[in-house]
Amino acid sequence: MKLCTLLLAVVCYPFWAFAQSDPSHAALEAAEMLEQASVKLNEAEDTRDRVKALTETIQAFEAGLSAMREGLRRASLREAQLTAELNAREDEIAQFLGVLQTIETTAPPLLMLHPSGPLGTARAGMMLSEVTPGLHARAQSLAKDLNEVRVLRDLQQNAAETLTKGLTGAQDARTRLSEAIADRTDLPRRFVEDPVRTAILIASTETLDGFASGLSQISDSGIIESNSNIKDRKGQIELPTQGVMLHRAGETDAAGVSRPGIVLGTRPRALVVSPTAATIRYRGPLLDLGNLIILEPQPGLLFVFSGLQDVFGQTGQVIPEGSPVGLMPGEMPGIGAIMSTSGDGTGTDWSETLYIEVRQDNNSVDPESWFRTDKDG
């Protein structure tokens, strides 16, 4: 086993062997997701339904950036682990390389001769044949570790450009989405909001209960009846955005307040969509809930999403499932924060909060009776 064989193994150990293993594979896949999102963004302007195309583009960017965060975190931790292990084995590796160099530099005839004669030479040959596979295995293992460190370091060094493009693309897509929604005129409307009646209702109510009960008053004419029905989807409706559960219905939060809805932790500027086809019954600021949107997927059922910074759509519009209804507040993290290993992967970067309340027949019900909440992120 020659030293050059070891060096060749270190240099030429196939890159794909690591690209197909975690955690580098996760980061490489994330980079591909961001690249595909960029392609979607370029194609969105030529799509007939720009709002739908841009919504899918933002979701693709969000998924790619989320995967990149996790992939880079795991890559950095793995690289640190391997480096520590190799440093701890420094003496062992030095001795191992010394053995290989000795084998390489010893003349072949001397390797084949033994002082005790042919029998000793045969026995020595048998021992060497048994030792060589072990040396070969150790060389391969060392080459694998060294090359994995190299791959992971290259991956992290090259990630900055990918992340920059991804963050810029996501922001561009959000801007274009806002413009596309403002230009949209093809949605049906069940009613037209009367701003005076709405203002009176807001001023005369002190609770969400009272406001929800008076929603029928905000129209300047009658509200067209709807026969929509989503009862067969009860308990299986997807949450309106990626997030982690912070508080369930009835739980007391850090301020000692208990609410009938659930609180999700979301990432800054996360896109919030309508989980079903629905009528926008109200959008805008209300009481101490900040900006919110109230959706009516079927008569007598209301979905309330509050804590938004931007709210999309017009009161009275009937929007299809998956339509964007708002963006969360906050500032997108910089590249340094995304590439940091300080996060533990349990949701420490979900800094914004979305409050979800469900009202059925004018009463608050547990949102988890309608929404699927058994998965986070």
Side-chain angles (χ1 to χ4, degrees):
M1 175 69 178
K2 292 188 176 182
L3 182 60
C4 61
T5 305
L6 172 65
L7 297 177
L8 186 63
V10 171
V11 174
C12 300
Y13 196 85
F15 179 88
W16 57 262
F18 300 107
Q20 308 236 350
S21 64
D22 289 328
S24 56
H25 182 46
L28 291 169
E29 279 191 334
E32 179 62 25
M33 291 170 69
L34 290 174
E35 180 63 31
Q36 291 175 0
S38 297
V39 174
K40 278 180 173 285
L41 180 59
N42 293 330
E43 295 174 347
E45 292 302 316
D46 299 326
T47 305
R48 181 177 180 182
D49 191 342
R50 290 177 60 224
V51 171
K52 180 180 180 181
L54 288 166
T55 299
E56 293 174 350
T57 297
I58 293 173
Q59 291 171 329
F61 272 118
E62 289 182 344
L65 288 168
S66 177
M68 180 63 82
R69 286 184 183 93
E70 177 62 13
L72 287 176
R73 186 186 71 85
R74 293 169 59 192
S76 182
L77 292 174
R78 175 62 176 161
E79 187 264 332
Q81 176 191 1
L82 283 170
T83 301
E85 290 177 355
L86 290 170
N87 287 338
R89 294 167 52 196
E90 186 174 0
D91 292 341
E92 175 191 347
I93 293 171
Q95 293 176 2
F96 174 55
L97 292 177
V99 171
L100 294 178
Q101 286 177 317
T102 299
I103 294 175
E104 181 193 27
T105 56
T106 303
L110 294 180
L111 288 175
M112 297 179 63
L113 297 177
H114 193 275
S116 61
L119 182 58
T121 300
R123 287 175 177 171
M126 292 173 63
M127 292 175 62
L128 186 60
S129 67
E130 291 176 356
V131 170
T132 300
L135 295 175
H136 179 71
R138 290 179 66 187
Q140 283 192 320
S141 176
L142 177 60
K144 179 178 181 297
D145 288 347
L146 291 172
N147 205 67
E148 187 173 359
V149 170
R150 187 194 70 183
V151 169
L152 292 171
R153 286 178 178 173
D154 288 346
L155 185 68
Q156 293 171 81
Q157 290 171 358
N158 295 332
E161 182 179 357
T162 302
L163 284 170
T164 299
K165 291 180 179 178
L167 291 169
T168 302
Q171 183 56 42
D172 189 12
R174 292 187 184 99
T175 301
R176 294 193 202 180
L177 177 63
S178 298
E179 296 170 350
I181 291 174
D183 295 338
R184 184 169 59 182
T185 59
D186 58 339
L187 291 179
R189 300 189 76 148
R190 286 180 58 201
F191 64 93
V192 177
E193 181 184 28
D194 184 328
V196 175
R197 291 185 178 183
T198 300
I200 293 173
L201 177 60
I202 292 174
S204 62
T205 56
E206 299 180 353
T207 65
L208 179 58
D209 285 357
F211 183 80
S213 299
L215 278 179
S216 60
Q217 304 172 21
I218 69 175
S219 169
D220 66 355
S221 60
I223 299 176
I224 300 172
E225 293 297 321
S226 170
N227 60 359
S228 57
N229 192 319
I230 61 168
K231 290 181 180 178
D232 59 339
R233 298 178 60 184
K234 191 171 183 179
Q236 297 301 316
I237 298 174
E238 295 291 335
L239 291 168
T241 189
Q242 288 186 345
V244 293
M245 182 72 73
L246 298 181
H247 297 288
R248 300 187 183 278
E251 290 183 348
T252 302
D253 62 19
V257 178
S258 174
R259 298 184 184 273
I262 62 175
V263 179
L264 293 183
T266 77
R267 288 197 170 96
R269 306 302 288 160
L271 180 68
V272 179
V273 302
S274 177
T276 67
T279 301
I280 300 177
R281 294 302 301 268
Y282 175 76
R283 60 176 291 275
L286 182 67
L287 305 172
D288 62 345
L289 297 173
N291 263 350
L292 60 77
I293 190 162
I294 300 178
L295 304 176
E296 183 188 67
Q298 70 179 35
L301 181 66
L302 299 177
F303 293 161
V304 182
F305 304 145
S306 75
L308 302 166
Q309 176 169 308
D310 303 319
V311 186
F312 301 140
Q314 297 297 324
T315 300
Q317 284 181 331
V318 181
I319 57 176
E321 180 176 339
S323 295
V325 296
L327 290 169
M328 296 299 294
E331 296 292 333
M332 291 297 295
I335 295 174
I338 293 177
M339 296 183 67
S340 171
T341 62
S342 60
D344 59 4
T346 59
T348 53
D349 54 347
W350 306 85
S351 58
E352 307 304 320
T353 55
L354 178 70
Y355 176 68
I356 300 176
E357 186 169 325
V358 176
R359 301 184 59 80
Q360 190 168 3
D361 299 327
N362 233 13
N363 295 303
S364 295
V365 299
D366 188 346
E368 292 189 78
S369 65
W370 282 94
F371 288 96
R372 181 186 172 195
T373 59
D374 58 347
K375 64 176 184 177
D376 286 340

